[in-house]
Amino acid sequence: MKEEDFKDNETLELFKKEGGNVLLSTVDSLINWGRSNSIWPLTFATSCCGIEMMAAGASRHDFARFGIEVYRASPRQADVIVVAGTVTNKMAPVLKRLYDQMADPKYVIAMGACAISGGPFFYNSYHVIKGVDHVVPVDVYIPGCPPRPEALLYGVMQLQRKIKLNKINDMDDPSANF
Amino acid sequence: MLSQIPLSYFLVVSTLMFFIGIYGFLTRKNLITILMAIELILNSVNINFVAFNRYLYPDQLQGHFFSLFIIAVAAAEAAVAIAIIISVYRQYFNIDVERVDTMKY
Amino acid sequence: MSIHELMFYLFSGMILLFSVLTVTSRRILRAATYLLFVLISTAGIYFMLNYQFLAAVQLTLYAGGIVVLIIFSILLTSHITHKFEPIGIKKMVFTIVAVAAGAILTITTVLNYGFNTVVASSQNPDMQLIGGSLLGYGRDGYALPFEVISVLLLAAIFGSIVIAKKEKSK
Amino acid sequence: MEKEKLKEIILGFIPEAEISTDTQFLTVNVDKGQLVKLATFLRDSDEMAFDYLFCESAIDYPDHLMMVYHLDSTKHRHQLVVKTKIADRENPVIDSVCPIWIGADYHEREIFDLFGIHFTNHYDLRKIFLDNDWVGFPLRKDYTDPVNIVER
Amino acid sequence: MEFNIYDLTSFTSSFDQLLMENLSPFWAVAIEMILIGVAILAFYAVVGLYLVYAERKVCAFMQCRVGPNRVGPYGFFQTIADLIKLLMKELIPIKNADKLLFNIAPYIVIIASFMAIAAIPFAKGLHAIDFNIGIFYIMAVSSLGVIGILIAGWSSNNKYSLIGAMRSGAQIVSYELSVGLSLITIVILSGSLQLSTIVEGQRDGWFLFTGHIPALIAFLVFLVAATAETNRGPFDLAEAESELTAGFHTEYSGIKFAFFFLAEYMNMFIVASIAVTMFLGGWMPFHVGGWEAFNNIMDYIPPFFWYAGKTAFIIWVMMWFKWTFPRLRIDQLLTLEWKYLLPINLVNIIIMAFVVLMGWHF
Amino acid sequence: MVEEITKGKLEEQEFSINMGPQHPSTHGVLRMMLKLKGETVKEVKPQLGYIHRGIEKMCEKLTYQQIIHLTDRLDYMSANILNEAVCLTVEDALQVEVPERVQYIRTIMGELNRIASHQLWWCAFGMDLGALTTFFYGLRDREKILDIFEETIGARLLLSYNVPGGLMNDIHPNFQKKVKEFITYFRKKLPEYDALLTGNPIMQQRTKGIGMLTKEQAIAYGVSGPSGRGSGFSCDVRIHQPYSAYSKADFKEILYHEGDTFARYKVRIDEMWESMNIIEQLIDNIPEGNYTAKMKPVIKLPVGEYYTRVEAVRGEFGVYIVSDGNKTPYRVKFRSPNFSNLSALDLMAREQKIADLIAIGGSMDYVIPDMDR
Amino acid sequence: MRSIINYLKEIFGAVAALFKGMRVTGYYFFHPKEIVTQQYPENRATLTMFDRFKGEVIMPHNENNEHKCTACGICEMNCPNGSIEIISEMKVNEEGKKKKVLSKHIYHLGMCTFCNLCVKTCPSNALAMGQDFEHAVFDRSKLNKVLNKPGSVLMKGTE
Amino acid sequence: MTSESLILFFIVGLVLVGGAILFSSYIAPTSTNLQKSEAYECGVPTKGITWLQFNVGYYLFALLFLVFEVETVFIFPWAVMMKSMGMVAFVEILIFFAVLGLGLLYAWKKHALIWE
Ligand code: SF4
Ligand code: SF4
Ligand code: SF4
């Protein structure tokens, strides 16, 4: 997919600037190539969006083409946590804990309206977190309710683009600010 | 090539191992560790047998077979020993020798 | 230094080091792991002496069998945070002295004894030979022990089942 | 069985029950003290045989709380609604029907959690949804939570 | 019968000679060792990585999808990307874990598989060590891997790991017997433990065919038991995802986890190699007695390809098992071993001995 | 601590372990506290609320049209049936007669939804048992249904197709053709499910006689739907209180009396066949007409209480609306099948192995957001 | 004897049943035609959504940059989760009447549940469902969209 | 090559694992937070101790395994000789198996082969 077909290139440019706009070395790009092509997700699905995540893994859409099929149940071995579904007040500490227990480098995809902003449960609900970015730092937001599997794939590609900007030695813990 | 190493070296190693085993046997209180010490002792004996066989009667296999049977017997012994340990454990929830013999059956 | 010497020193060093660790380690599973290393090094010595079958038996039965069994029982009876109390200094010194005395005595005897070593062949006894002797009846045959082993094993099965299966005697 | 007949039987058992037949299901209003007695009767008597409690809910009215039990009989295939008022909104207590219909277990825990109604005789009355340190009963009408609720 | 066109023995020995002549013996040996070491390492890495890739592709095809295809042509570099990523992943120190044992465990698992590879004959003359107790040695060494798993599970101080370790302990311990006994059936037929002799013995027909029924039973038993011994589905109870999250390696991250992952595939490779060597004639081409022309054509395919092809087939069958069957429960697993496989095996050995005694084999 | 335990009565000491909230086989965020002895489960304590979203409270603030989109998010696997239930309640209360066409379409959509859900259940159940390929076959076939949904409704999972008084929009012209195609296709594929999983001896051994639930227990706990019918509890609302167009189709209730995991499994497999029967009977007879009845833009229910029971995929779903005459309900209660079904889990899983617990959970087909609401 | 026969029968039955399952997976392995995978990013050019697919809410503009929204606020009211905010101002039109004019129709894509209510209830059909689904962004604020294009005005003849 | 070169394989394995872990631990990013090094248990803090009480049944399998492993070891030399020794070996192994089969039968009958 071509660069200009992607959305939100401006933010990506911004990230590049923040990174000092230094050219990546060969080693960096090799590592980023590895990282971006092997994003193992944690099995973390709380509700409806999880079903579409499963659908994305199934034959029709085949997540595995991106090398992502290795769903790990243990956060130690996962790279990305796809928050697929509503996160409630009771669940938030769990999510945070899971995120904390993941090994660096780690990424978060907020999938679906609930994960982005609480979605349908934004108003009048007493038990829903209004967006998981209050709990963990989110790298990519995929709107939809639920997003269709292609949208998830698209989000993953966005994440890959973001990973490709990383430099080997500026991997600070993003959760330090939290 | 082997002749570069004298037989006595093997014997020294096995002796040391034997006495280390004895040390463990005497100082350890846990039944399982005692079992391990016994395994060390048996092993040192095996080394002796094998070394003797190789250096003294290389054409025969007595030492070799002796070790073989020792290993087999050790296995059977370990099986029974562990069965005993487990049954002791189920009785006392403990496998310290000292505690075990002070407790009443 | 030939490869053989190198290996001998390596293996005997490992044996001694890990045996000491086995009997002194305060964590039981570590002790078992060290024991495993001792046994593997012993197998290494057998390999070096070219008794390959014996070495493999050592690996299978000792390392793969007995140690596994020991680890199993450790998993039941001990917890990861469990440590042995260090033994009293007095007892330790006493034991060490006694053991060292014994060791020195034996070693001096061993070193002073003149073995008439013959290293005619460092041939590996091949399986045909081993099998032949194991099944043979004659002077070098071990057919009887071979069958006795089976009885021994039978006894071990009976014994361990009876002992371990004993229902909770309340 | 028709509503009328059911009504007669129930009235024969508990004369002071208020029964309305013009609603979707036959509705019985009983005093909360007689609830367990009625429930046991409903389950055990052969003509009633209400063995299946398919819904149990609470309603928060401005001056009282109301427990509603929806019953079904797998034998006769008739339905019944039992209602009980709990006048004390501050400290509501009612007998549990858990011993009669074990399926009420979770429903009552839910009601305890969200309405704050205590059930006596319930064997394991814990909060089911919310954290143990959650304050307030969200499904009550007067519940406010400025932290979590964004009003629209 | 002409085999020497692809005989590698002469090549290796002449290489040996070349070194011996030009260097002092110590250095000659040292250089030889280093070369072999590097070769093994490369071989190990390549096989491991590509088995992972193959597994992904195989399961993808069985599941009506295409599998990894975006990293390199047909996703060929997928596992390399995985490797790079895993190498660059944080190694998390676990609180309350027994650090020493926690770190030792992957070594044990990997080294056990390394040692086993040493004795596998890949082609004529292409094996590191030709023990005269070959097959027994492989069995002995590969039985050590389980200790790594037990230690890993126990030292993680994690409940899932502990259950996983316990399970895999019981499992591997049980199935090792069946592996051993089913191999014995073939040893009776071949009369040797040396792998090269065993392979040579299958010159005129693979043992699977010459030993007919008992060999076939032994082969099936071996396949089942070997799948179980390598901890693969449907016997992957130790890491049963739906029950124990990740089983004994729940707490392992990054490259340490990768080693467990790798060891699983290497063990699969090893048992497949054993199966090929013992039952399917190792690197021997497929021969049919009497069909000289056919046999000659078969000889032109290099032995290594025969070996690799057969191994790939066995591995594929094992993958096929994994992706078809539901996982067994622990008690079923043990029942299968102790009440079915083991008695069958014992009887089978007797039958085989009888067959050999009567000379009924081909 | 260790000393205490070693000294204490270890026989009675149990090992407690957590499964969930993040666990591959709890189908969401159920947390189960297990007490184990060895591998044997001594007690299961489900902990709910990890996905409690307060939907009942939210409904009190929303109009009846808006409630629909929240019911979808309860049991998202039977979204269509759930919002049908709300629509039926509102229509009952207002005494609106919906056109027959709407009833037919609702029934067909509901049954398609049921098949889709059972397919997904089959995938998940296979995964729980460790048969990983089932996941792909089930979802592959499910995509065909999703295509039908998407063509008509525009959404794949959360349909929001029913609105009070009718439907959101008319069916797509291709609808009938596609559905028929699907049924021919799926009739061919369903036997594959049997070959892959049902007949498998490993699977049978893992499910037969495991997780027993007798009929009496099922009734007492209110375990309905396929799970209840696996115990012989005849609880199909479609039969006993037919709604929409179910009275026009001829079908039977699938009942098994064994009460074990395998019986529950079989009920679902057979229900897929039966659903296809229903659809086949209805699909050609969809009457012409309007796709919605005349409704006022602002719906106000008369004061009173309304209860509707429908047969959702996982059991009896009930909507209980108390209205005070406003445009928003006074109180809404959803009787969710999973909630009651879950309460029987402890009973079923005791004295079974961990692996059995997973199988039992899989056979009950839990959807956690539906329990937590 | 009976039990031994049963024992053997059991084994053979089990093996046969296992083989049946293997035939299914084996069949698919050897029939790559059965692969149903759609190669998403590669097939973008040919990938078409169903025309009713609900990907996002859009406000169609005609070529003169005109839309139909009268800023009546009905969609805002009907949206179950407040994804729409209408900002309007009072303007005096040519006829001298004060009239509400849309200045911003804010649409929170990150909250929308695609329930279709806004589209359905809009009295002047100003809204529609778009079929784009590639919305993933790095920054959440990018999801708050303004539907009316800058400088757009109300279509003539819309009330 | 002779069996000495086994040590080579050992060393290569050691180097592979050690090198990779060393490399990784130097180059991989690290971060710390309070929860990271705690035991993972589905995202909630662990309660109780990690200690599993297993039944004896479990050990019986291990014990039986050991016994049968000894048996396997002794059958190997026999298997090698079977072809050349013929009848004698056959009879010997029949006796051997008969005795051990008795053991297995005993275990079976005593329900030692049931996992509880
Ligand atoms: S965004 Fe929509 S589909 Fe996703 S979890 Fe939330 S309500 Fe469900
Ligand atoms: S979009 Fe339609 S409903 Fe919304 S403000 Fe504009 S005209 Fe009104
Ligand atoms: S589609 Fe529904 S949720 Fe989205 S903006 Fe329109 S009314 Fe709101």
Side-chain angles (χ1 to χ4, degrees), chain F residues 164-189:
Chain F
L167 305 169
M168 184 67 89
N169 43 27
D170 206 355
I171 50 173
H172 196 271
N174 282 343
F175 180 73
Q176 271 144 310
K177 193 178 106 235
K178 277 261 181 97
V179 170
K180 274 185 261 175
E181 267 172 24
F182 165 75
I183 287 182
T184 8
Y185 168 83
F186 195 52
R187 275 186 196 278
K188 276 213 292 293
K189 293 289 176 191

Side-chain angles (χ1 to χ4, degrees), chain E residues 320-332:
Chain E
W320 193 7
F321 284 160
K322 168 162 183 175
W323 294 101
T324 307
F325 299 138
R327 185 182 300 122
L328 282 88
R329 208 191 322 145
I330 182 83
D331 57 331
Q332 286 178 329

